[in-house]
Amino acid sequence: MPVPFETLIPYVIITAMFGVTGAGLSGIRHYAGGGKKHRWSLDTWDRVLMDRDRRLTGVLRGQTDNAIAPPGFEVNQPWRGEKRFS
């Protein structure tokens, strides 16, 4: 006995919603990553370099080939000073 087509409609809807969700998540990751692939297994050194690249270019995943840093970069450092005792 064949399966009526009315029973397949919910399965098609569920599969379509999984596809739309996956495509949307992929698009958001692509846009947030600057059009580059997602990075895996980041260690502390990678995070430090990503922060440096963000301070140099203004974009987290941006990189530059300038040998000379832009003006003001010498005072733009990620280290936070200690709080004073009061």
Side-chain angles (χ1 to χ4, degrees):
M1 182 179 235
V3 177
F5 72 92
E6 292 93 359
T7 59
L8 298 177
I9 293 174
Y11 294 112
V12 170
I13 292 173
I14 290 171
T15 304
M17 287 298 112
F18 274 116
V20 167
T21 305
L25 183 61
S26 175
I28 289 172
R29 282 187 174 178
H30 181 76
Y31 177 74
K36 298 179 181 177
K37 289 187 175 183
H38 183 67
R39 291 186 176 179
W40 297 92
S41 300
L42 293 176
D43 59 0
T44 307
W45 180 250
D46 293 329
R47 293 181 200 280
V48 167
L49 289 181
M50 284 173 61
D51 186 47
R52 184 210 53 182
D53 292 341
R54 182 191 54 79
R55 291 185 293 118
L56 275 172
T57 63
V59 181
L60 183 66
R61 298 288 303 270
Q63 294 178 346
T64 181
D65 60 350
N66 271 348
I68 300 171
F73 186 75
E74 63 273 0
V75 294
N76 179 10
Q77 52 179 305
W79 305 108
R80 306 289 182 239
E82 356 177 278
K83 294 183 178 180
R84 298 288 180 184
F85 296 112
S86 339

